[in-house]
Amino acid sequence: MASGLDSTDKQKKAVALLAIADQAGKRAAAGESPLETQTFINGARRELARELPDTKKMEDAFQVSREYQRTRDPGQRPGQGV
């Protein structure tokens, strides 16, 4: 089972998220459109997830997805694609 982020990585992620929020606030105050600001936020968070991946959350999401697929298509065997 994946262990997720350690305390140092969690702290790095929290600092990065605060920096993203600060930068987004500055962009909005400078007159950037809400769509542009949200696009910046989404991209920055996506890049942060690449740099500091939380493997525990990814494993949990994978398991939830598998369970959903199993309940949606009860006749399908695991691993069979559509």
Side-chain angles (χ1 to χ4, degrees):
M1 193 81 175
S3 62
L5 295 173
D6 64 19
S7 61
T8 303
D9 286 341
K10 285 182 182 179
Q11 187 175 20
K12 288 179 187 176
K13 189 171 186 173
V15 168
L17 288 171
L18 287 172
I20 291 168
D22 181 58
Q23 188 66 22
K26 288 177 181 176
R27 289 168 157 258
E32 188 174 77
S33 76
L35 179 61
E36 290 171 320
T37 302
Q38 190 61 48
T39 300
F40 162 75
I41 293 168
N42 292 341
R45 290 184 66 171
R46 196 174 303 116
E47 182 60 31
L48 178 59
R50 271 194 282 277
E51 292 176 12
L52 292 172
D54 189 338
T55 54
K56 173 71 172 121
K57 283 186 179 180
M58 287 189 280
E59 177 66 26
D60 291 346
F62 177 74
Q63 293 301 330
V64 168
S65 173
R66 295 280 304 252
E67 181 62 21
Y68 169 75
Q69 290 173 5
R70 187 187 66 75
T71 59
R72 185 189 66 181
D73 300 324
Q76 291 277 340
R77 291 192 309 260
Q80 276 188 319
V82 175

Coordinates of all heavy atoms in Angstrom, one line a residue:
M1 N 0.8 -1.2 0.0 CA 0.0 0.0 0.0 C 0.9 1.2 0.0 O 1.9 1.3 0.6 CB -0.9 0.0 1.2 CG -2.0 0.9 1.2 SD -3.3 0.2 0.2 CE -4.6 1.3 0.3
A2 N 0.5 2.2 -0.7 CA 1.2 3.5 -0.8 C 1.2 4.2 0.5 O 0.2 4.2 1.2 CB 0.7 4.3 -1.9
S3 N 2.2 5.0 0.8 CA 2.3 5.6 2.1 C 1.9 7.1 2.1 O 1.7 7.7 3.1 CB 3.8 5.5 2.6 OG 4.6 6.2 1.8
G4 N 1.8 7.7 0.9 CA 1.4 9.1 0.9 C 2.6 10.0 1.1 O 3.7 9.6 1.1
L5 N 2.3 11.3 1.4 CA 3.3 12.3 1.7 C 3.8 12.2 3.1 O 3.1 12.0 4.0 CB 2.8 13.7 1.4 CG 2.3 14.0 0.0 CD1 1.6 15.4 0.0 CD2 3.5 14.0 -0.9
D6 N 5.2 12.4 3.3 CA 5.7 12.5 4.6 C 5.5 13.9 5.1 O 5.0 14.8 4.4 CB 7.2 12.1 4.7 CG 8.1 13.0 3.9 OD1 7.7 14.1 3.6 OD2 9.2 12.5 3.6
S7 N 5.8 14.1 6.4 CA 5.5 15.5 7.0 C 6.2 16.6 6.3 O 5.7 17.7 6.2 CB 5.8 15.5 8.5 OG 7.2 15.2 8.7
T8 N 7.5 16.4 5.8 CA 8.2 17.4 5.1 C 7.5 17.8 3.8 O 7.4 18.9 3.5 CB 9.7 16.9 4.9 OG1 10.3 16.6 6.1 CG2 10.5 18.0 4.2
D9 N 7.1 16.7 3.1 CA 6.5 17.0 1.8 C 5.1 17.6 2.0 O 4.7 18.5 1.2 CB 6.3 15.7 1.0 CG 7.6 15.2 0.4 OD1 8.5 16.0 0.3 OD2 7.7 14.0 0.0
K10 N 4.4 17.3 3.1 CA 3.1 17.9 3.4 C 3.3 19.4 3.6 O 2.6 20.3 3.2 CB 2.4 17.3 4.6 CG 1.8 16.0 4.2 CD 1.1 15.4 5.5 CE 0.5 14.0 5.2 NZ -0.1 13.4 6.3
Q11 N 4.4 19.7 4.4 CA 4.7 21.1 4.7 C 5.1 21.9 3.4 O 4.6 23.0 3.2 CB 5.9 21.2 5.7 CG 6.1 22.6 6.2 CD 7.2 22.6 7.3 OE1 8.0 21.7 7.4 NE2 7.2 23.7 8.0
K12 N 5.9 21.2 2.5 CA 6.2 21.9 1.2 C 5.0 22.1 0.4 O 4.8 23.2 -0.2 CB 7.2 21.0 0.4 CG 8.6 20.9 1.0 CD 9.4 19.9 0.1 CE 10.8 19.7 0.7 NZ 11.5 18.7 -0.1
K13 N 4.1 21.2 0.4 CA 2.8 21.3 -0.4 C 2.0 22.5 0.2 O 1.4 23.3 -0.6 CB 2.1 20.0 -0.4 CG 0.9 20.0 -1.3 CD 0.3 18.6 -1.5 CE -0.8 18.7 -2.5 NZ -1.3 17.3 -2.8
A14 N 1.9 22.5 1.5 CA 1.1 23.6 2.1 C 1.7 25.0 1.8 O 0.9 25.9 1.5 CB 1.1 23.4 3.6
V15 N 3.0 25.1 1.8 CA 3.7 26.4 1.5 C 3.4 26.7 0.0 O 3.1 27.9 -0.3 CB 5.2 26.3 1.8 CG1 5.9 27.5 1.2 CG2 5.4 26.2 3.3
A16 N 3.5 25.7 -0.8 CA 3.3 25.9 -2.3 C 1.8 26.4 -2.5 O 1.6 27.3 -3.3 CB 3.6 24.7 -3.1
L17 N 0.9 25.7 -1.8 CA -0.5 26.1 -2.0 C -0.8 27.5 -1.6 O -1.6 28.3 -2.2 CB -1.4 25.1 -1.3 CG -1.6 23.7 -1.9 CD1 -2.3 22.8 -1.0 CD2 -2.2 23.8 -3.3
L18 N -0.2 27.9 -0.5 CA -0.3 29.3 0.0 C 0.3 30.3 -1.0 O -0.3 31.4 -1.3 CB 0.4 29.5 1.4 CG -0.4 28.9 2.5 CD1 0.5 28.9 3.8 CD2 -1.7 29.6 2.8
A19 N 1.4 29.9 -1.6 CA 2.0 30.8 -2.6 C 1.1 30.9 -3.9 O 1.0 32.0 -4.4 CB 3.4 30.2 -3.0
I20 N 0.5 29.8 -4.2 CA -0.4 29.8 -5.4 C -1.6 30.8 -5.1 O -2.0 31.6 -5.9 CB -0.9 28.4 -5.7 CG1 0.2 27.6 -6.3 CG2 -2.1 28.4 -6.7 CD1 -0.1 26.1 -6.4
A21 N -2.1 30.6 -3.9 CA -3.3 31.5 -3.5 C -2.8 33.0 -3.4 O -3.6 33.8 -3.9 CB -3.8 31.1 -2.1
D22 N -1.6 33.2 -2.9 CA -1.1 34.6 -2.9 C -1.0 35.2 -4.3 O -1.4 36.3 -4.6 CB 0.2 34.6 -2.1 CG 0.7 36.0 -2.0 OD1 0.0 36.9 -1.5 OD2 1.9 36.3 -2.5
Q23 N -0.4 34.4 -5.2 CA -0.2 34.8 -6.5 C -1.5 35.0 -7.3 O -1.7 36.0 -8.0 CB 0.7 33.8 -7.3 CG 1.1 34.3 -8.7 CD 2.0 35.4 -8.6 OE1 2.7 35.7 -7.6 NE2 2.1 36.2 -9.7
A24 N -2.5 34.2 -7.0 CA -3.8 34.3 -7.6 C -4.5 35.6 -7.1 O -5.1 36.3 -7.9 CB -4.7 33.1 -7.3
G25 N -4.3 35.9 -5.9 CA -4.9 37.1 -5.3 C -4.3 38.3 -6.0 O -5.0 39.3 -6.3
K26 N -3.0 38.3 -6.2 CA -2.3 39.4 -6.8 C -2.8 39.6 -8.2 O -2.9 40.7 -8.7 CB -0.8 39.2 -6.7 CG -0.2 39.4 -5.4 CD 1.3 39.1 -5.4 CE 1.9 39.3 -4.0 NZ 3.3 38.9 -3.9
R27 N -2.9 38.5 -8.9 CA -3.4 38.5 -10.3 C -4.8 39.1 -10.4 O -5.1 39.9 -11.3 CB -3.3 37.1 -10.9 CG -2.0 36.6 -11.2 CD -2.0 35.1 -11.5 NE -0.9 34.7 -12.2 CZ -0.9 34.4 -13.5 NH1 -1.9 34.5 -14.3 NH2 0.2 34.1 -14.1
A28 N -5.6 38.7 -9.5 CA -7.0 39.2 -9.5 C -7.0 40.7 -9.2 O -7.8 41.4 -9.8 CB -7.9 38.4 -8.5
A29 N -6.2 41.1 -8.2 CA -6.2 42.5 -7.9 C -5.6 43.4 -9.0 O -6.0 44.5 -9.1 CB -5.3 42.7 -6.6
A30 N -4.8 42.8 -9.8 CA -4.2 43.5 -11.0 C -5.2 43.6 -12.2 O -4.8 44.1 -13.2 CB -2.9 42.8 -11.4
G31 N -6.4 43.0 -12.0 CA -7.4 43.1 -13.0 C -7.5 41.9 -14.0 O -8.2 42.0 -15.0
E32 N -6.8 40.8 -13.7 CA -6.9 39.7 -14.5 C -8.4 39.1 -14.4 O -9.0 39.2 -13.3 CB -5.9 38.6 -14.0 CG -5.8 37.4 -14.9 CD -4.7 36.5 -14.5 OE1 -4.9 35.8 -13.5 OE2 -3.6 36.5 -15.1
S33 N -8.9 38.5 -15.5 CA -10.2 38.0 -15.4 C -10.3 36.8 -14.5 O -9.3 36.1 -14.3 CB -10.7 37.6 -16.9 OG -10.1 36.4 -17.2
P34 N -11.5 36.5 -14.0 CA -11.6 35.3 -13.1 C -11.2 34.0 -13.9 O -10.7 33.1 -13.3 CB -13.1 35.3 -12.8 CG -13.5 36.7 -12.8 CD -12.7 37.3 -14.0
L35 N -11.5 33.9 -15.1 CA -11.2 32.7 -15.9 C -9.7 32.6 -16.0 O -9.1 31.5 -15.8 CB -11.8 32.8 -17.3 CG -11.5 31.6 -18.2 CD1 -12.0 30.3 -17.6 CD2 -12.1 31.8 -19.6
E36 N -9.0 33.7 -16.3 CA -7.5 33.6 -16.3 C -6.9 33.2 -15.0 O -6.0 32.4 -14.9 CB -6.9 34.9 -16.8 CG -7.2 35.2 -18.3 CD -6.8 36.7 -18.6 OE1 -7.0 37.6 -17.8 OE2 -6.3 36.8 -19.8
T37 N -7.5 33.8 -13.9 CA -7.0 33.5 -12.6 C -7.2 32.0 -12.3 O -6.3 31.3 -11.8 CB -7.6 34.4 -11.5 OG1 -7.4 35.7 -11.9 CG2 -7.1 34.1 -10.1
Q38 N -8.4 31.5 -12.6 CA -8.7 30.1 -12.3 C -7.8 29.2 -13.1 O -7.4 28.1 -12.7 CB -10.2 29.8 -12.5 CG -10.6 28.4 -12.0 CD -10.4 28.3 -10.5 OE1 -10.7 29.1 -9.7 NE2 -9.7 27.2 -10.1
T39 N -7.5 29.6 -14.4 CA -6.7 28.8 -15.2 C -5.3 28.7 -14.6 O -4.6 27.6 -14.6 CB -6.6 29.4 -16.7 OG1 -7.9 29.4 -17.2 CG2 -5.7 28.6 -17.6
F40 N -4.8 29.8 -14.1 CA -3.5 29.9 -13.4 C -3.5 28.9 -12.2 O -2.6 28.1 -12.1 CB -3.1 31.3 -13.0 CG -2.0 31.3 -11.9 CD1 -0.7 31.0 -12.3 CD2 -2.4 31.5 -10.6 CE1 0.3 31.0 -11.3 CE2 -1.4 31.4 -9.6 CZ 0.0 31.2 -10.0
I41 N -4.5 29.0 -11.4 CA -4.6 28.1 -10.2 C -4.6 26.7 -10.6 O -3.9 25.9 -10.0 CB -5.9 28.5 -9.4 CG1 -5.7 29.9 -8.8 CG2 -6.1 27.4 -8.3 CD1 -7.0 30.4 -8.2
N42 N -5.4 26.3 -11.6 CA -5.5 24.9 -12.0 C -4.1 24.4 -12.5 O -3.7 23.3 -12.2 CB -6.6 24.7 -13.1 CG -8.0 24.9 -12.6 OD1 -8.2 24.9 -11.4 ND2 -8.9 25.2 -13.5
G43 N -3.5 25.2 -13.3 CA -2.2 24.8 -13.9 C -1.1 24.7 -12.8 O -0.3 23.7 -12.8
A44 N -1.1 25.6 -11.9 CA -0.1 25.6 -10.8 C -0.4 24.4 -9.9 O 0.6 23.7 -9.4 CB -0.2 26.9 -10.0
R45 N -1.6 24.1 -9.6 CA -1.9 22.9 -8.7 C -1.6 21.6 -9.4 O -1.1 20.7 -8.8 CB -3.4 22.9 -8.3 CG -3.7 24.1 -7.3 CD -5.0 24.0 -6.8 NE -5.2 22.8 -6.0 CZ -6.2 22.5 -5.3 NH1 -7.2 23.4 -5.2 NH2 -6.3 21.4 -4.6
R46 N -1.8 21.6 -10.7 CA -1.5 20.4 -11.5 C 0.1 20.2 -11.5 O 0.5 19.1 -11.3 CB -2.0 20.6 -13.0 CG -2.0 19.3 -13.8 CD -2.7 19.5 -15.1 NE -4.0 20.0 -15.0 CZ -4.4 21.2 -15.5 NH1 -3.6 22.0 -16.1 NH2 -5.7 21.6 -15.3
E47 N 0.8 21.3 -11.7 CA 2.3 21.2 -11.6 C 2.8 20.7 -10.3 O 3.7 19.9 -10.1 CB 2.9 22.5 -12.0 CG 4.4 22.5 -12.1 CD 5.0 21.5 -13.0 OE1 4.4 21.2 -14.1 OE2 6.1 21.0 -12.8
L48 N 2.1 21.3 -9.2 CA 2.5 20.9 -7.8 C 2.2 19.4 -7.6 O 3.0 18.7 -7.0 CB 1.7 21.7 -6.8 CG 1.9 21.4 -5.4 CD1 3.4 21.6 -5.0 CD2 1.0 22.2 -4.5
A49 N 1.1 18.9 -8.2 CA 0.8 17.4 -8.0 C 1.9 16.6 -8.8 O 2.2 15.5 -8.4 CB -0.6 17.1 -8.6
R50 N 2.4 17.1 -9.9 CA 3.5 16.4 -10.6 C 4.8 16.4 -9.8 O 5.5 15.4 -9.7 CB 3.8 17.0 -11.9 CG 2.9 16.5 -13.0 CD 3.5 16.9 -14.4 NE 3.1 18.3 -14.8 CZ 2.0 18.6 -15.3 NH1 1.1 17.7 -15.6 NH2 1.8 19.9 -15.6
E51 N 5.1 17.5 -9.1 CA 6.3 17.6 -8.3 C 6.2 16.9 -7.0 O 7.2 16.4 -6.6 CB 6.6 19.1 -8.1 CG 7.0 19.8 -9.4 CD 7.3 21.3 -9.1 OE1 7.3 21.8 -8.0 OE2 7.4 22.1 -10.1
L52 N 5.1 16.9 -6.4 CA 4.9 16.3 -5.1 C 3.7 15.4 -5.1 O 2.6 15.6 -4.5 CB 4.7 17.3 -4.0 CG 5.9 18.2 -3.6 CD1 5.5 19.3 -2.6 CD2 7.0 17.3 -3.0
P53 N 3.8 14.2 -5.8 CA 2.6 13.4 -6.0 C 2.3 12.7 -4.6 O 3.2 12.3 -3.9 CB 3.1 12.3 -7.0 CG 4.6 12.3 -6.9 CD 5.0 13.7 -6.5
D54 N 1.0 12.6 -4.3 CA 0.5 11.9 -3.1 C 0.1 10.6 -3.6 O -1.1 10.4 -4.0 CB -0.6 12.7 -2.5 CG -1.0 12.2 -1.1 OD1 -0.7 11.0 -0.8 OD2 -1.6 12.9 -0.3
T55 N 0.9 9.6 -3.5 CA 0.6 8.2 -4.0 C -0.5 7.6 -3.2 O -1.2 6.8 -3.8 CB 1.9 7.4 -3.9 OG1 2.4 7.4 -2.6 CG2 2.9 7.9 -4.9
K56 N -0.7 7.9 -1.9 CA -1.8 7.4 -1.2 C -3.1 7.8 -1.7 O -4.0 7.0 -1.9 CB -1.6 7.8 0.3 CG -2.8 7.4 1.2 CD -2.9 5.9 1.4 CE -3.9 5.6 2.5 NZ -4.9 4.7 2.0
K57 N -3.2 9.1 -2.0 CA -4.5 9.6 -2.6 C -4.7 9.0 -4.0 O -5.9 8.7 -4.4 CB -4.4 11.2 -2.7 CG -4.7 11.9 -1.4 CD -4.8 13.3 -1.6 CE -5.0 14.0 -0.3 NZ -5.1 15.5 -0.4
M58 N -3.6 8.9 -4.8 CA -3.8 8.2 -6.1 C -4.3 6.8 -6.0 O -5.2 6.4 -6.7 CB -2.5 8.3 -6.9 CG -2.1 9.7 -7.4 SD -0.7 9.7 -8.5 CE 0.6 9.6 -7.3
E59 N -3.8 6.1 -5.0 CA -4.2 4.7 -4.8 C -5.7 4.6 -4.3 O -6.4 3.8 -4.8 CB -3.3 4.0 -3.8 CG -3.7 2.6 -3.4 CD -3.6 1.6 -4.5 OE1 -2.7 1.8 -5.4 OE2 -4.3 0.6 -4.5
D60 N -6.0 5.5 -3.4 CA -7.4 5.6 -3.0 C -8.4 5.9 -4.1 O -9.4 5.3 -4.3 CB -7.6 6.7 -1.9 CG -6.9 6.3 -0.6 OD1 -6.5 5.1 -0.4 OD2 -6.7 7.2 0.3
A61 N -8.0 6.9 -5.0 CA -8.8 7.2 -6.1 C -9.0 6.1 -7.1 O -10.0 5.8 -7.6 CB -8.2 8.5 -6.8
F62 N -7.9 5.3 -7.3 CA -7.9 4.2 -8.2 C -8.9 3.1 -7.6 O -9.7 2.5 -8.4 CB -6.5 3.6 -8.3 CG -6.4 2.3 -9.1 CD1 -6.6 2.4 -10.5 CD2 -6.3 1.1 -8.5 CE1 -6.5 1.3 -11.3 CE2 -6.2 0.0 -9.3 CZ -6.4 0.0 -10.7
Q63 N -8.8 2.9 -6.3 CA -9.7 1.9 -5.7 C -11.1 2.3 -5.8 O -12.0 1.5 -6.1 CB -9.3 1.6 -4.2 CG -7.9 1.0 -4.1 CD -7.9 -0.4 -4.7 OE1 -8.8 -1.1 -4.9 NE2 -6.7 -0.7 -5.2
V64 N -11.4 3.6 -5.6 CA -12.8 4.1 -5.7 C -13.3 3.9 -7.2 O -14.4 3.5 -7.4 CB -12.9 5.5 -5.3 CG1 -14.2 6.1 -5.6 CG2 -12.7 5.6 -3.8
S65 N -12.4 4.2 -8.1 CA -12.8 4.1 -9.5 C -13.1 2.6 -9.9 O -14.0 2.3 -10.5 CB -11.7 4.6 -10.4 OG -11.9 4.3 -11.7
R66 N -12.2 1.7 -9.4 CA -12.4 0.3 -9.7 C -13.8 -0.2 -9.1 O -14.5 -1.0 -9.7 CB -11.3 -0.6 -9.1 CG -9.9 -0.3 -9.7 CD -9.7 -1.1 -11.0 NE -10.0 -2.5 -10.9 CZ -9.1 -3.4 -11.0 NH1 -7.8 -3.1 -11.1 NH2 -9.4 -4.7 -10.9
E67 N -14.1 0.2 -7.8 CA -15.3 -0.2 -7.2 C -16.5 0.4 -8.0 O -17.5 -0.3 -8.2 CB -15.3 0.3 -5.7 CG -16.6 -0.1 -5.0 CD -16.8 -1.6 -4.8 OE1 -15.8 -2.3 -5.0 OE2 -17.9 -2.0 -4.6
Y68 N -16.4 1.6 -8.4 CA -17.5 2.2 -9.2 C -17.7 1.4 -10.5 O -18.8 1.1 -10.9 CB -17.2 3.7 -9.5 CG -18.2 4.2 -10.6 CD1 -19.5 4.6 -10.2 CD2 -17.8 4.4 -11.9 CE1 -20.4 5.1 -11.2 CE2 -18.7 4.9 -12.9 CZ -19.9 5.2 -12.5 OH -20.8 5.7 -13.4
Q69 N -16.6 1.1 -11.2 CA -16.7 0.3 -12.4 C -17.3 -1.0 -12.1 O -18.1 -1.5 -12.9 CB -15.4 0.2 -13.1 CG -14.9 1.5 -13.6 CD -13.5 1.4 -14.2 OE1 -12.9 0.4 -14.2 NE2 -12.9 2.6 -14.6
R70 N -17.0 -1.7 -11.0 CA -17.5 -3.0 -10.7 C -19.0 -2.9 -10.4 O -19.8 -3.7 -10.9 CB -16.8 -3.5 -9.5 CG -17.2 -5.0 -9.1 CD -16.6 -5.4 -7.8 NE -17.2 -4.7 -6.7 CZ -18.4 -4.9 -6.2 NH1 -19.2 -5.8 -6.7 NH2 -18.8 -4.3 -5.2
T71 N -19.5 -1.9 -9.7 CA -20.9 -1.8 -9.4 C -21.7 -1.3 -10.7 O -22.8 -1.7 -10.8 CB -21.2 -0.8 -8.3 OG1 -20.6 0.5 -8.6 CG2 -20.5 -1.3 -7.0
R72 N -21.1 -0.5 -11.5 CA -21.7 0.0 -12.7 C -21.9 -1.2 -13.8 O -23.0 -1.3 -14.4 CB -20.9 1.1 -13.4 CG -21.6 1.7 -14.6 CD -20.7 2.6 -15.3 NE -19.6 1.8 -15.8 CZ -18.6 2.3 -16.5 NH1 -18.5 3.6 -16.7 NH2 -17.7 1.5 -17.0
D73 N -20.9 -2.0 -13.9 CA -21.0 -3.1 -14.9 C -20.7 -4.4 -14.1 O -19.6 -5.0 -14.2 CB -19.9 -2.9 -15.9 CG -20.0 -1.7 -16.7 OD1 -21.2 -1.3 -17.0 OD2 -19.0 -1.0 -17.1
P74 N -21.7 -4.9 -13.4 CA -21.5 -6.1 -12.6 C -21.1 -7.4 -13.4 O -20.5 -8.3 -12.9 CB -22.8 -6.4 -11.8 CG -23.8 -5.4 -12.4 CD -23.0 -4.4 -13.3
G75 N -21.4 -7.4 -14.7 CA -21.0 -8.6 -15.5 C -19.6 -8.6 -16.0 O -19.1 -9.6 -16.4
Q76 N -18.9 -7.4 -15.9 CA -17.5 -7.3 -16.3 C -16.6 -7.9 -15.3 O -16.8 -7.7 -14.1 CB -17.2 -5.8 -16.5 CG -17.8 -5.2 -17.6 CD -17.1 -5.4 -19.0 OE1 -16.0 -5.8 -19.0 NE2 -17.8 -5.2 -20.1
R77 N -15.6 -8.6 -15.8 CA -14.5 -9.1 -14.9 C -13.5 -8.0 -14.7 O -13.3 -7.2 -15.6 CB -13.9 -10.3 -15.5 CG -14.8 -11.5 -15.5 CD -14.0 -12.8 -15.8 NE -13.2 -12.6 -17.1 CZ -13.5 -13.0 -18.3 NH1 -14.7 -13.7 -18.4 NH2 -12.7 -12.9 -19.3
P78 N -12.8 -7.9 -13.6 CA -11.8 -6.9 -13.4 C -10.7 -6.9 -14.5 O -10.3 -8.0 -14.9 CB -11.2 -7.2 -12.1 CG -12.2 -8.0 -11.3 CD -13.0 -8.7 -12.4
G79 N -10.4 -5.8 -15.0 CA -9.3 -5.7 -16.1 C -9.9 -5.7 -17.5 O -9.2 -5.5 -18.4
Q80 N -11.2 -6.0 -17.6 CA -11.8 -6.0 -19.0 C -12.1 -4.6 -19.3 O -12.8 -3.9 -18.6 CB -13.0 -6.8 -19.0 CG -12.8 -8.3 -19.2 CD -14.1 -9.0 -19.5 OE1 -15.1 -8.7 -18.8 NE2 -14.1 -9.9 -20.4
G81 N -11.7 -4.1 -20.5 CA -12.0 -2.8 -20.9 C -13.3 -2.8 -21.7 O -13.8 -3.8 -22.1
V82 N -13.7 -1.6 -22.0 CA -14.9 -1.4 -22.8 C -14.6 -1.2 -24.3 O -13.6 -0.7 -24.6 CB -15.8 -0.2 -22.3 CG1 -16.9 0.0 -23.2 CG2 -16.2 -0.4 -20.9

